[in-house]
Amino acid sequence: MENLSRLFANWYDFFMNPLEKKKFKRIREELLSKATGNVLELGSGTGINFPLYEEAVKVTAIEPSKHMIEQSLLKQKQACVPIDIVQASAEELPFAADTFDTVIATLVFCTIPNPEKAILEMKRVCKSNGKILLFEHVQMQNRFLSSLQDWLTPTWKKICDGCCLNRNTIDLLRDHNISIIQVQNYYRDLFVCAEGVNKK
């Protein structure tokens, strides 16, 4: 498992590069332009977002995988704003309540083992009426494609470091009193970009 996690981290950017170049970079830039004040990034991975922050005062990035953190250090140096990287899980955030003005997660809720607990932690550390910004892949609305995601997920999780293809992340946010004020779908609703407000 350790070797698989290292391999996944080493090759992640290579396999994601075609999508990042074509569409994802523009989506990320638009989303991150809304990240202001003291920002928490959940699951920063290889640091793909780090050079794109412009409006944030400071970014604290949490990432549970030491291998992903190693891959992100070069991008940390390329950032325009101060970025601290903390090895921690989204389910147990080592921060006081009401610390952050903005919490952002991009392509991470699919891999969090306990997304409900992570959302509760995210709400705790985010200020009341703070911003919640997400770019995620989710379960599709088309019945056939949705069933295909269900079928593929057990094998996909083993190959892709715990990634679940069939999570309904936006519904989870709404269920935990996060007010979704804007949603945009991409690639036949496989990917979704959302802006929410933390209601306490």
Side-chain angles (χ1 to χ4, degrees):
M1 187 63 72
E2 176 74 10
N3 289 336
L4 186 59
S5 292
R6 181 184 292 277
L7 190 66
F8 183 76
N10 289 344
W11 287 92
Y12 182 85
D13 282 344
F14 175 81
F15 285 112
M16 290 296 292
N17 192 51
L19 278 172
E20 293 291 349
K21 276 188 172 181
K22 285 187 176 180
K23 188 83 172 181
F24 284 8
K25 185 178 180 182
R26 184 169 59 81
I27 294 171
R28 290 179 187 274
E29 286 175 338
E30 185 176 343
L31 188 68
L32 269 63
S33 70
K34 301 174 184 178
T36 56
N38 191 15
V39 175
L40 173 66
E41 179 174 341
L42 300 180
S44 53
T46 61
I48 191 73
N49 290 330
F50 291 173
L52 305 179
Y53 284 105
E54 293 183 353
E55 303 301 323
V57 173
K58 178 185 175 183
V59 176
T60 301
I62 68 109
E63 170 55 50
S65 168
K66 64 180 180 180
H67 306 305
M68 286 290 194
I69 291 174
E70 290 168 3
Q71 294 295 319
S72 73
L73 297 179
L74 179 60
K75 296 186 187 76
Q76 181 189 27
K77 294 176 182 177
Q78 297 170 348
C80 301
V81 303
I83 295 180
D84 290 336
I85 305 173
V86 178
Q87 187 173 2
S89 73
E91 296 100 328
E92 296 182 13
L93 296 173
F95 311 112
D98 305 315
T99 297
F100 298 98
D101 302 291
T102 304
V103 179
I104 187 162
T106 62
L107 304 182
V108 66
F109 265 94
C110 56
T111 61
I112 295 174
N114 189 333
E116 291 88 354
K117 188 174 181 182
I119 289 172
L120 290 174
E121 276 289 88
M122 178 175 67
K123 284 178 61 66
R124 180 183 67 82
V125 301
C126 185
K127 295 176 182 177
S128 180
N129 294 316
K131 297 176 189 175
I132 306 288
L133 304 174
L134 289 101
F135 172 45
E136 298 289 341
H137 68 75
V138 295
Q139 186 145 35
M140 302 174 78
Q141 295 177 18
N142 178 280
R143 185 174 296 177
F144 170 75
L145 294 175
S146 176
S147 298
L148 185 61
Q149 287 176 297
D150 289 337
W151 181 74
L152 286 171
T153 288
T155 302
W156 189 262
K157 282 177 68 175
K158 293 177 183 177
I159 298 171
C160 296
D161 209 27
C163 176
C164 298
L165 295 169
N166 57 350
R167 290 220 169 131
N168 293 306
T169 304
I170 302 304
D171 289 343
L172 281 175
L173 296 179
R174 289 193 174 108
D175 290 344
H176 289 81
N177 203 30
I178 294 173
S179 177
I180 305 298
I181 59 176
Q182 185 175 341
V183 175
Q184 192 162 358
N185 296 311
Y186 301 93
Y187 296 100
R188 298 183 65 180
D189 72 36
L190 173 58
F191 293 92
V192 63
C193 213
E195 182 178 353
V197 176
N198 187 27
K199 299 295 183 182
K200 295 194 175 184

